Amino acid sequence: MTSAPLRLLFIGGTGTISAAAAERAVALGHRLTVLNRGLSSERPVPPGTELLQADIRNAAEVAEVLNGREFDVVADFISFTPEHVAAAVELFRGRTGQYVFISSASAYQKPPAHLPILESTPLRNPFWKYSQDKIACEDLLVRAYRDEGFPVTIVRPSHTYDRTRIALLGGWTDIHRMREGLPVIVHGDGTSLWTLTHTDDFAVAFVGLLGRPQALGESYTITSDEALPWDQVYRLFATAAGVPEPELVHIASETIAAHSPELGPALLGDRSHSVVFDNTKIKTLVPWYRAEIPFAAGAREIVRWHDEHPGIKHVDQDFMKLSEQLVQWARRPI
């Protein structure tokens, strides 16, 4: 780095997006501290990272390990409710120059009244409590910024993946079904558009925001500019899995939700809607950001990694039954 390194605290640090951001931050020479419970080994922190072990929900534990320390930036990857962020405001008030809250692009208006989605798009999701909680978190943080100058920056990622994350409704089970020549259910008619962002790309923009006074009080969408129909997403996975032509059976999202309360909220509240994002705002502040990894390459990376780790290729029998049930329902005589 040509500028002075930042003192960074990542709360979490081993998740899909936070691990990539940690790698990027350390590679750029920043001084990174990660605070988590020390329970995850899937994505180890990069060499040179200071690791503090505590449960962020335990105020006494956190106070002890932080011991009055201050940071240039605190990035919070694991706050999901207003109670979580209220505690964070209390903890980091006066102790950081920037508090970065990881919200979600699912908080944007669903269904969207206008595409592409901008940071000015209203926040409203009547379908999914996860998104509603993120909106409530944002409301609390915006009030803290307006009332007392709490130095918040809000980041809204959409579907961000690494090699461990399969975008399909059934995860690995859908790839298993493709390889077995079985039909695979796709929500809607397969033409709604979806944006998938590789976590390595996300990290470039995210770390570029850190330590920027211009970002205080602002929100930023960080996604790829590539939007694909869901049918194409399934076919890219099929190609990566060596399946020339998967059998895709289209089922209305509302029908899937009615048969699977577990899948319903995220399906109706996010992935059943076309989402195309305008990334002009983040590119204005971080002009070197460009999402360079197309999902065709990402799908190959995901399938290759799973094939190299057969122990995690879990076939969900409940989803197998749901798929068969819905395929039979779709093919019933009318």
Side-chain angles (χ1 to χ4, degrees):
M1 285 186 59
T2 56
S3 58
L6 296 169
R7 296 167 300 161
L8 307 178
L9 174 65
F10 282 9
I11 303 172
T14 57
T16 302
I17 63 175
S18 60
E23 291 280 356
R24 173 77 177 176
V26 170
L28 292 177
H30 295 305
R31 293 158 50 191
L32 177 64
T33 299
V34 166
L35 187 154
N36 60 37
R37 293 177 296 170
L39 300 179
S40 175
S41 59
E42 186 176 34
R43 303 177 188 86
V45 298
T49 301
E50 177 188 26
L51 183 58
L52 302 179
Q53 189 167 329
D55 183 349
I56 191 62
R57 311 294 172 228
N58 186 317
E61 277 188 16
V62 174
E64 182 178 353
V65 298
L66 291 182
N67 194 25
R69 293 170 60 178
E70 297 182 1
F71 298 90
D72 297 311
V73 181
V74 173
D76 187 347
F77 295 89
I78 57 172
S79 281
F80 302 102
T81 69
E83 292 76 20
H84 293 165
V85 296
V89 170
E90 290 299 315
L91 178 62
F92 294 112
R93 179 185 287 116
R95 296 175 61 178
T96 184
Q98 183 185 28
Y99 171 84
V100 184
F101 172 65
I102 314 304
S103 185
S104 169
S106 69
Y108 287 121
Q109 181 187 57
K110 297 294 183 304
H114 180 268
L115 293 177
I117 292 170
L118 304 161
E119 283 81 0
S120 58
T121 296
L123 304 183
R124 182 177 184 272
N125 191 321
F127 306 100
W128 196 8
K129 189 174 188 305
Y130 167 81
S131 307
Q132 295 162 7
D133 285 343
K134 286 290 190 179
I135 293 169
C137 289
E138 290 198 29
D139 288 344
L140 188 153
L141 289 166
V142 169
R143 285 196 301 272
Y145 171 73
R146 290 173 177 168
D147 294 346
E148 60 179 274
F150 185 73
V152 65
T153 299
I154 294 169
V155 172
R156 300 187 189 115
S158 188
H159 190 141
T160 308
Y161 69 93
D162 66 2
R163 62 183 186 248
T164 72
R165 297 292 182 252
I166 300 173
L168 306 181
L169 199 61
W172 181 261
T173 306
D174 277 330
I175 296 177
H176 167 78
R177 291 183 65 85
M178 291 177 187
R179 283 179 164 172
E180 293 296 314
L182 298 172
V184 175
I185 60 172
V186 180
H187 62 274
D189 63 1
T191 64
S192 60
L193 299 175
W194 194 243
T195 299
L196 300 110
T197 308
H198 197 289
T199 188
D200 289 349
D201 283 335
F202 173 89
V204 173
F206 180 81
V207 176
L209 276 177
L210 305 184
R212 297 291 198 97
Q214 309 98 306
L216 302 185
E218 297 283 354
S219 60
Y220 295 89
T221 303
I222 300 178
T223 73
S224 170
D225 293 318
E226 179 185 54
L228 300 171
W230 270 109
D231 273 2
Q232 182 70 2
V233 173
Y234 276 79
R235 288 194 172 101
L236 286 173
F237 271 114
T239 299
V243 179
E245 186 57 44
E247 184 180 358
L248 305 181
V249 178
H250 298 110
I251 306 288
S253 298
E254 292 79 6
T255 300
I256 298 174
H259 285 78
S260 176
E262 182 180 274
L263 296 174
L267 182 57
L268 298 179
D270 202 12
R271 61 171 62 205
S272 65
H273 305 280
S274 282
V275 288
V276 180
F277 299 97
D278 185 324
N279 283 279
T280 300
K281 187 175 180 179
I282 183 63
K283 290 177 181 178
T284 300
L285 192 60
V286 187
W288 56 88
Y289 171 59
R290 177 184 173 191
E292 297 182 334
I293 304 172
F295 190 66
R300 291 193 298 270
E301 177 187 5
I302 292 167
V303 173
R304 180 172 61 250
W305 187 82
H306 279 77
D307 281 339
E308 291 170 353
H309 297 79
I312 63 164
K313 289 158 59 171
H314 172 66
V315 176
D316 185 333
Q317 294 303 322
D318 288 337
F319 191 80
M320 289 286 285
K321 293 175 184 176
L322 176 66
S323 297
E324 293 301 325
Q325 180 183 7
L326 290 175
V327 167
Q328 290 180 19
W329 180 86
R331 292 174 173 172
R332 73 197 186 283
I334 298 177

